[in-house]
Amino acid sequence: MKIIIIFLALIMFNGVAFSDVHCLNFQKGIKNNKGDKFLNFFSISIDYLGKTPLYSAAFDLNDDGQDEYFYYVEIPTFCGIQTGCSINLFEYIDGDFKPLFEFGFNTFEQFDPENSNDYNYFCVKNSVTHGWHDLVIRGRGTYSYDGTFYIYKK
Protein backbone atom coordinates (compact mmCIF):
# COMPACT_ATOMS: atom_id res chain seq x y z
CA MET A 1 0.00 0.00 0.00
CA LYS A 2 2.82 2.46 0.86
CA ILE A 3 4.50 1.79 -2.49
CA ILE A 4 1.32 2.65 -4.40
CA ILE A 5 0.85 5.90 -2.48
CA ILE A 6 4.48 6.93 -3.05
CA PHE A 7 4.20 6.08 -6.75
CA LEU A 8 1.03 8.17 -7.11
CA ALA A 9 2.68 11.09 -5.33
CA LEU A 10 5.65 10.91 -7.69
CA ILE A 11 3.58 11.03 -10.88
CA MET A 12 1.55 14.03 -9.76
CA PHE A 13 2.59 17.65 -10.39
CA ASN A 14 0.58 20.35 -8.67
CA GLY A 15 -2.33 17.94 -8.55
CA VAL A 16 -1.95 17.18 -12.26
CA ALA A 17 -0.70 13.85 -13.59
CA PHE A 18 2.52 14.17 -15.63
CA SER A 19 0.75 12.50 -18.57
CA ASP A 20 -1.61 15.51 -18.69
CA VAL A 21 1.16 18.10 -19.11
CA HIS A 22 4.10 18.95 -21.35
CA CYS A 23 6.85 20.62 -19.34
CA LEU A 24 8.94 23.28 -21.04
CA ASN A 25 12.66 22.92 -21.56
CA PHE A 26 14.25 26.38 -21.69
CA GLN A 27 17.16 26.67 -24.12
CA LYS A 28 20.08 29.04 -23.74
CA GLY A 29 20.99 31.42 -26.55
CA ILE A 30 19.60 34.02 -28.91
CA LYS A 31 19.44 31.69 -31.92
CA ASN A 32 16.62 29.65 -30.33
CA ASN A 33 12.92 30.52 -30.52
CA LYS A 34 13.27 33.88 -32.27
CA GLY A 35 15.51 35.15 -29.45
CA ASP A 36 17.31 37.53 -31.80
CA LYS A 37 13.97 39.03 -32.93
CA PHE A 38 12.88 39.29 -29.28
CA LEU A 39 16.00 41.28 -28.41
CA ASN A 40 15.57 43.53 -31.46
CA PHE A 41 11.88 44.13 -30.77
CA PHE A 42 12.63 45.33 -27.24
CA SER A 43 15.80 47.18 -28.31
CA ILE A 44 17.98 45.04 -26.07
CA SER A 45 21.59 45.06 -27.18
CA ILE A 46 23.17 41.63 -27.42
CA ASP A 47 26.27 43.21 -25.86
CA TYR A 48 24.12 44.39 -22.93
CA LEU A 49 23.42 40.79 -22.01
CA GLY A 50 27.14 40.31 -21.35
CA LYS A 51 27.37 37.38 -18.98
CA THR A 52 23.60 36.99 -18.65
CA PRO A 53 22.18 34.69 -21.30
CA LEU A 54 18.71 34.66 -22.74
CA TYR A 55 16.66 31.51 -22.15
CA SER A 56 13.60 30.61 -24.17
CA ALA A 57 11.05 27.89 -24.77
CA ALA A 58 8.39 27.45 -27.43
CA PHE A 59 5.02 25.73 -27.57
CA ASP A 60 2.00 26.06 -29.83
CA LEU A 61 -0.52 27.06 -27.15
CA ASN A 62 -3.49 27.68 -29.44
CA ASP A 63 -2.90 24.81 -31.90
CA ASP A 64 -2.66 27.17 -34.89
CA GLY A 65 0.63 25.68 -36.13
CA GLN A 66 2.69 28.63 -34.82
CA ASP A 67 4.66 28.48 -31.58
CA GLU A 68 4.25 31.00 -28.79
CA TYR A 69 7.46 31.95 -26.98
CA PHE A 70 8.51 32.06 -23.33
CA TYR A 71 11.53 34.26 -22.54
CA TYR A 72 13.62 34.56 -19.39
CA VAL A 73 16.50 37.03 -19.12
CA GLU A 74 18.05 38.67 -16.07
CA ILE A 75 18.32 42.32 -17.07
CA PRO A 76 16.71 45.38 -15.45
CA THR A 77 14.06 45.64 -18.19
CA PHE A 78 12.61 42.30 -17.06
CA CYS A 79 13.57 42.29 -13.37
CA GLY A 80 12.02 44.28 -10.56
CA ILE A 81 13.39 45.06 -7.12
CA GLN A 82 10.52 43.37 -5.29
CA THR A 83 9.42 40.80 -7.85
CA GLY A 84 12.78 39.59 -9.11
CA CYS A 85 13.07 38.54 -12.74
CA SER A 86 10.14 37.33 -14.75
CA ILE A 87 9.26 34.94 -17.51
CA ASN A 88 7.30 36.54 -20.30
CA LEU A 89 5.09 34.78 -22.82
CA PHE A 90 4.48 36.25 -26.26
CA GLU A 91 2.63 35.42 -29.42
CA TYR A 92 4.69 36.41 -32.48
CA ILE A 93 2.43 37.84 -35.20
CA ASP A 94 3.66 39.63 -38.34
CA GLY A 95 6.92 40.73 -36.74
CA ASP A 96 5.32 41.92 -33.49
CA PHE A 97 5.36 40.34 -30.06
CA LYS A 98 1.94 40.34 -28.38
CA PRO A 99 2.23 39.82 -24.59
CA LEU A 100 0.15 36.94 -23.25
CA PHE A 101 1.53 36.39 -19.76
CA GLU A 102 4.13 37.65 -17.29
CA PHE A 103 5.17 35.58 -14.33
CA GLY A 104 7.33 37.33 -11.73
CA PHE A 105 9.41 35.52 -9.18
CA ASN A 106 9.71 36.99 -5.71
CA THR A 107 13.19 37.88 -4.54
CA PHE A 108 13.43 34.71 -2.43
CA GLU A 109 12.88 32.28 -5.29
CA GLN A 110 14.89 32.13 -8.44
CA PHE A 111 14.21 30.16 -11.57
CA ASP A 112 17.36 28.51 -12.90
CA PRO A 113 16.77 27.03 -16.36
CA GLU A 114 20.09 25.18 -16.18
CA ASN A 115 19.15 23.43 -12.93
CA SER A 116 17.52 20.06 -13.55
CA ASN A 117 15.21 20.66 -10.56
CA ASP A 118 13.59 23.51 -12.50
CA TYR A 119 12.88 21.52 -15.69
CA ASN A 120 9.30 20.91 -14.53
CA TYR A 121 8.65 24.47 -13.35
CA PHE A 122 6.48 25.57 -16.29
CA CYS A 123 4.19 23.08 -17.99
CA VAL A 124 1.44 23.18 -20.59
CA LYS A 125 -1.70 21.20 -19.81
CA ASN A 126 -3.81 19.26 -22.29
CA SER A 127 -6.88 21.20 -21.10
CA VAL A 128 -7.90 24.23 -23.17
CA THR A 129 -9.69 27.49 -22.20
CA HIS A 130 -10.89 29.91 -24.92
CA GLY A 131 -8.91 27.90 -27.49
CA TRP A 132 -5.58 28.08 -25.62
CA HIS A 133 -3.87 25.41 -23.52
CA ASP A 134 -3.80 26.03 -19.77
CA LEU A 135 -0.46 26.54 -18.03
CA VAL A 136 0.59 25.06 -14.71
CA ILE A 137 3.42 26.54 -12.66
CA ARG A 138 4.99 24.47 -9.92
CA GLY A 139 3.79 25.67 -6.54
CA ARG A 140 1.63 28.41 -8.09
CA GLY A 141 -1.29 26.58 -9.70
CA THR A 142 -3.01 26.77 -13.05
CA TYR A 143 -3.33 29.75 -15.38
CA SER A 144 -5.92 29.97 -18.17
CA TYR A 145 -6.33 32.23 -21.18
CA ASP A 146 -9.19 34.72 -20.78
CA GLY A 147 -9.34 35.78 -24.42
CA THR A 148 -6.54 38.35 -24.06
CA PHE A 149 -4.08 37.28 -21.35
CA TYR A 150 -3.32 34.32 -19.09
CA ILE A 151 -4.79 34.69 -15.60
CA TYR A 152 -4.76 32.59 -12.43
CA LYS A 153 -7.47 29.93 -12.52
CA LYS A 154 -9.29 29.55 -9.21
Side-chain angles (χ1 to χ4, degrees), residues 91 98-100 129-135 143-151:
E91 181 178 24
K98 175 189 170 198
L100 298 172
T129 304
H130 295 290
W132 292 68
H133 287 273
D134 295 330
L135 304 175
Y143 293 77
S144 296
Y145 190 69
D146 70 355
T148 305
F149 207 70
Y150 274 88
I151 60 170

Side-chain angles (χ1 to χ4, degrees), residues 4-21 120 136 138:
I4 293 171
I5 292 171
I6 291 170
F7 176 73
L8 289 174
L10 289 174
I11 65 168
M12 295 299 285
F13 173 82
N14 243 13
V16 176
F18 273 118
S19 63
D20 294 336
V21 298
N120 295 325
V136 63
R138 184 177 69 204

Side-chain angles (χ1 to χ4, degrees), residues 25 34 61 72 74 111-112 133 139 143:
N25 179 18
K34 299 190 184 326
L61 294 169
Y72 176 77
E74 293 176 332
F111 171 67
D112 181 0
H133 287 273
Y143 293 77

Side-chain angles (χ1 to χ4, degrees), residues 72-86:
Y72 176 77
V73 61
E74 293 176 332
I75 59 173
T77 307
F78 292 93
C79 300
I81 294 172
Q82 294 178 357
T83 60
C85 298
S86 61

